[in-house]
Amino acid sequence: MFYTDNRLQFPVRVEQPDPLFARALQQAIGGVEGEIRVAMQYFFQACGARGDPKFRDLLMNTAAEELGHIEMLATAVAMNFEGAPLSLQEEAAADPVAGAVLGGINLKNLLSAGLSAMPVDSDGVPFNMSHIYASGNIAADMGANVTAESTGRILAVRLYNMTADPGMKEMLAYLIARDTMHQNQFLAALEELGGNENIFPIPNSFPQAEENTDFNYAFLGFQNDGSEPPQGRWSSGPSIDGNDAFTSRPMEPLGEVPNLGRARPNSGAQAEQE
Amino acid sequence: MFYTDNRLQFPVRVEQPDPLFARALQQAIGGVEGEIRVAMQYFFQACGARGDPKFRDLLMNTAAEELGHIEMLATAVAMNFEGAPLSLQEEAAADPVAGAVLGGINLKNLLSAGLSAMPVDSDGVPFNMSHIYASGNIAADMGANVTAESTGRILAVRLYNMTADPGMKEMLAYLIARDTMHQNQFLAALEELGGNENIFPIPNSFPQAEENTDFNYAFLGFQNDGSEPPQGRWSSGPSIDGNDAFTSRPMEPLGEVPNLGRARPNSGAQAEQE
Amino acid sequence: MFYTDNRLQFPVRVEQPDPLFARALQQAIGGVEGEIRVAMQYFFQACGARGDPKFRDLLMNTAAEELGHIEMLATAVAMNFEGAPLSLQEEAAADPVAGAVLGGINLKNLLSAGLSAMPVDSDGVPFNMSHIYASGNIAADMGANVTAESTGRILAVRLYNMTADPGMKEMLAYLIARDTMHQNQFLAALEELGGNENIFPIPNSFPQAEENTDFNYAFLGFQNDGSEPPQGRWSSGPSIDGNDAFTSRPMEPLGEVPNLGRARPNSGAQAEQE
Amino acid sequence: MFYTDNRLQFPVRVEQPDPLFARALQQAIGGVEGEIRVAMQYFFQACGARGDPKFRDLLMNTAAEELGHIEMLATAVAMNFEGAPLSLQEEAAADPVAGAVLGGINLKNLLSAGLSAMPVDSDGVPFNMSHIYASGNIAADMGANVTAESTGRILAVRLYNMTADPGMKEMLAYLIARDTMHQNQFLAALEELGGNENIFPIPNSFPQAEENTDFNYAFLGFQNDGSEPPQGRWSSGPSIDGNDAFTSRPMEPLGEVPNLGRARPNSGAQAEQE
Amino acid sequence: MFYTDNRLQFPVRVEQPDPLFARALQQAIGGVEGEIRVAMQYFFQACGARGDPKFRDLLMNTAAEELGHIEMLATAVAMNFEGAPLSLQEEAAADPVAGAVLGGINLKNLLSAGLSAMPVDSDGVPFNMSHIYASGNIAADMGANVTAESTGRILAVRLYNMTADPGMKEMLAYLIARDTMHQNQFLAALEELGGNENIFPIPNSFPQAEENTDFNYAFLGFQNDGSEPPQGRWSSGPSIDGNDAFTSRPMEPLGEVPNLGRARPNSGAQAEQE
Amino acid sequence: MFYTDNRLQFPVRVEQPDPLFARALQQAIGGVEGEIRVAMQYFFQACGARGDPKFRDLLMNTAAEELGHIEMLATAVAMNFEGAPLSLQEEAAADPVAGAVLGGINLKNLLSAGLSAMPVDSDGVPFNMSHIYASGNIAADMGANVTAESTGRILAVRLYNMTADPGMKEMLAYLIARDTMHQNQFLAALEELGGNENIFPIPNSFPQAEENTDFNYAFLGFQNDGSEPPQGRWSSGPSIDGNDAFTSRPMEPLGEVPNLGRARPNSGAQAEQE
């Protein structure tokens, strides 16, 4: 169950409203690496968590935190639209260099939302909940969360570098810090689950003897000329999961030319296919 | 540039065609954790790779491999539809227990594709390319790939457990093995990039002094009663990136009640809001 | 800012797990009339609310409530999957009449989520955040919320009628009650905004003198034979907003045949169009 | 069955073509509050209407009207692209202040449609038919239509305020007038269905005795500190449906901490979860 | 402008309601090859037509026809749901063999639409208007329409073969006939535009001398072993557009290894990439 | 199975990087008429091909070619972002006329991809794999491919006309040439399948005697006044498939007013509908 106190988690200040930066901030709300994604991802992972309940609680607490981040960013978007032109005449009257606002924003923020935030990305594309990864495997989920926080921090850094507004930089410095912690906390959860040598290959509950053991630690090359693929840590030495050693070789086709035969009558094919 | 030899990478055999299993296999083609996703993800990461070119080559080779996996799975889907009913009468004539085929498959496989594979998931939802993560940050990308291969292997294991067909089990044992290797090879790439202590927090090019350092290694609790959040490796001890030590505390709101003021005239609000 | 206490808002009990009912419940989570929709809709309306802050608080409190409903339903979905078959063999071994489970569920719940809930509807289609209506007009938003709660209650009633499980009926009786209240509370908000005669036409801030006053209270018919359109409360008597009286008449075209002229050279048209 | 006469319902004139306004008009075609939505919504509601046929006829007539609105708007979009640059050189040669056209439009209107209208919104996102609400409940549908016409009129007002072109203002004054009527006509339909006291709670066919009557007229607060939620018409006095009286109180969790137990073997979880 | 007479274009009879066939029919409404697609495609092509107006009129008339087809199919869907179970108990009470209805239908047809048609395909996926192809090139559009009617007729044939209901067969025999005509009428439009030798390559307004003339009539092979690609009408003889002769050869890479260099500072990459 | 040599199929040069043109090029990658579409369409058609295997090989070779086109275009996009501003300050410091870059690009290319290509269209909308048409009917597929290459060449021509960069013009002259060939090669395949008189109506395996023969060669008019529809090659003379002769007439409704009766109890309708 969730509660609110109507207050912002961290102060949101905008010294110089900038509608184009509002558009950029939309990526942090409704982009695939944005806050709706992490809030809902941790929420659904928590709801489906099986096993030690401390992971569920970890996830639900951070879901609550991320909901507060959406709230902060939505407020920041609306504040950056302060004073934006509502008409082509207003725009034309503005400084031409500073102008070009209406063409540069997501028009839906004006036309559909009345200068407020929307659950869309920086190009106006609505967030799609297929991006909520909750696999039922706690290690895969924690890894997915490290990934989400990595792209989330990259985005926050790019936004931080994009603006010169002190208020926005302060807010983003907070969000970047939280992304640092969240990367670390989900890495810590993976360590608590045993670290690389225990958790991989995910899922670790499948007996590796049932895998095709000719292919589970070989780096395969698909160079057209049959040459060796690029070498690196992945082509020799012990595997990262500690279960075997890497090898490397060009791949050759082991299967036949596929042949589905002729089409069945009454299946909507051309007569020539039957 | 890409080439083909029209042959399958690995043999695809189906002893007992099963249209419901064909539906399940669709998840491995067009699901968010399926082969279209990894093929295209590695492809786009390679196309945008900056820095040491060996990572680009690593990615492009594995993209080529994954294209061959789509080909295998698409063949397997069509083969599992062998003998599926095309009409309600055919279905009714079948064994009632073995029946219920038409209701159990994605009807699009029959109606749109003529008993062949489609780029959709196991519930008939088309794959959406927003799931291609290519961030321009090589560490984030490699981490995203470990995640993709983790969920991919979970899926392949579930499919392996779902079927009793020896041909299908053999094909899946191959794909599971490749997922094992792919998890390891992208983990190896992360090791080559310096391991956890060097690559995190991602992006490692942002000066951490500019973060809000009161919040970058603190696990924050959002329990309604102000109690301590769940403790674990994430709440004390050195941080995983080696840059600081974890702390833990309940969070309190630092910002104000947000107030966007009154609506602007001519902005489409009700008169009462202006 | 949001908080959690990890507890469910209302007890969730399942006496007889039913995977098909789990699929049906998914509509109440990720359907367009489901709980993600209302939670996020009220959240974004609150974040963009301008004018009297009590509406923002009303919305944010109910957003918090709806988050708890998602949590309840996600728990109910997982509980209804208890004992579901994981393989075609398990299914075949089951009672044939009670069988047909794997064909009848969204396979993603098994293959992607490990028998847990997902943010998808009852046919496995992910929720899309374009369904979050937050217009910046408080009356339009409240009306949209009455609509959302109406379709939400219809859905809950259909689910209630579909199941015989006492635990599920009890949970749904709670959710139906909340939908009753939510319809009433948003209707109350509309009354507080002045009732039909004051709030309509939305937005009430636009001067009606600028409308085309030949057409703003006329019910227009488009019957092919030019006959009168269907009569009702909408074709005569005072308008509901109290500003005029209804009339009714067949419509005739007032514009010309549109003519965009010839295509511009170099615009990619055929030569014959230029 | 539908017929056409190839003429526009109302004159469409553009005195000063403006490609950016063409982009804005796209929202009225393919936005979630646009004309495709209402045309198709009324069409599907009519096709599924059960009960008194006058509602079906009301809906189908207005569907026919809205099809004509799409036609008008599509013509207006193409006319506003008149003279738009086709190349970066053309653009550079133009007045710099009036320039920035190519960056400000949806490029698909040029690249995919050759300067014509598309079924997309003002940010180029295609319309998705999940926005067609047709519930099978006539009161819910009529309420959804009032909502659609409310957001539609807000949009039309914003477009009216955005342009100074007399032709476009005239066309929008017509469309705004129609939205006024459509709000009123669907409100009239609700009045004919009995008005607030008879139609709510929707669906009115469900016996309220089966609801959880402790919760169906209580405004619940979710303030973190357990304080009273915001008071208003919704917290005391008779309910709007006339069936009870409002009360108000803070909510407390009535359910337990959810516990899904351990993961099933062979379900793709980590070994630690089983 | 559009008109209606509320009547069906062709009789719709269902002798034996079959909810599974209702699901299949949904593909003909909201599938990518369904009637919403062709209705809206011809409509938008007409609205953007430039050049000889007879093509616009041709398109708009057929758009009107297709709207009537949606109406017929939506009626057929609802009639096939007649008597479908609303609850798991109703279903269990039915004949087990004839049962499995609730698992076999799109549950949204019941839960969201109350046993009526929806603008979704046979797996419950909503139609997306990105499938409306209207290129601004009249020959490309007519070709796209032949394609749409081809897949449409394939679908109708598959539906015809799937059912044994005389009423449904009669309706589909009508729709199949119309698809025959529509293929022919759009082929006739292409003939009127000059036939293959005049209309191809589309667009025919681009001077072929500006193409890379080493590559515009060569069938290129991408076989891994450098062997000749498959031979056919496409590898020798005059080209179909009559402008040149086909040749055939294996392709070799003409470009370099791409190299984007190092990442820019402050662009969110890892330090190792800069 | 697929192979790579890491080289570009054709040289990609950019003399004057232009971020706005990078945005336009995105349409050729991720637009519905772009290269992902054709690559994946031919790939899936090949995987499902039944009948003469030369068509499968034709398709798979061209699929391999198109993958190389994506690679070229993705490289071109990244090269056109060379030197693009990363911050609002950088942008402000630039020449105001040449400026307005950040507002004119898809911000996701910067914020999510770090100035690299993405699988999205020119307005930032991700490609959706529902656009992969693979019907199981070889003639329909070849026709769909002619259509895809027609819209693809229109797009490439528009891009060619949009830019003045010699490197980009050279690359596009190559791609336009390939589209010329691809239109011709798929037309050649249709000729090999028998030409218009043999392949139409598609599917040619359905006995036309089962069609409604009153309607399969009649051009039907839907003019409101019952007048003759537009005449052309489609209204008289032999049909293009050679099976009959065209006629033309206005259509009249043959079906009744549809009547679904009253709503079932417990189906979620209003009481007034039951």
Side-chain angles (χ1 to χ4, degrees), chain F residues 7 28 31-32 54 102 104 109-110 139 159 180:
Chain F
R7 291 181 55 193
V32 300
K54 75 180 161 187
L102 287 175
N109 280 114
L110 190 163
L159 291 168
T180 297

Side-chain angles (χ1 to χ4, degrees), chain B residues 44-51 53 56, chain E residues 257-264 273, chain F residues 8 12 71-72 74-82 113-117:
Chain B
F44 273 88
Q45 288 177 357
C47 288
R50 289 178 170 90
R56 187 195 56 219
Chain E
V257 175
N259 184 354
L260 301 181
R262 305 199 68 77
R264 288 175 56 185
Q273 297 178 271
Chain F
L8 295 177
V12 175
E71 210 178 357
M72 289 166 59
T75 303
V77 164
M79 290 171 76
N80 272 292
F81 277 124
E82 195 77 24
L115 302 175
S116 296

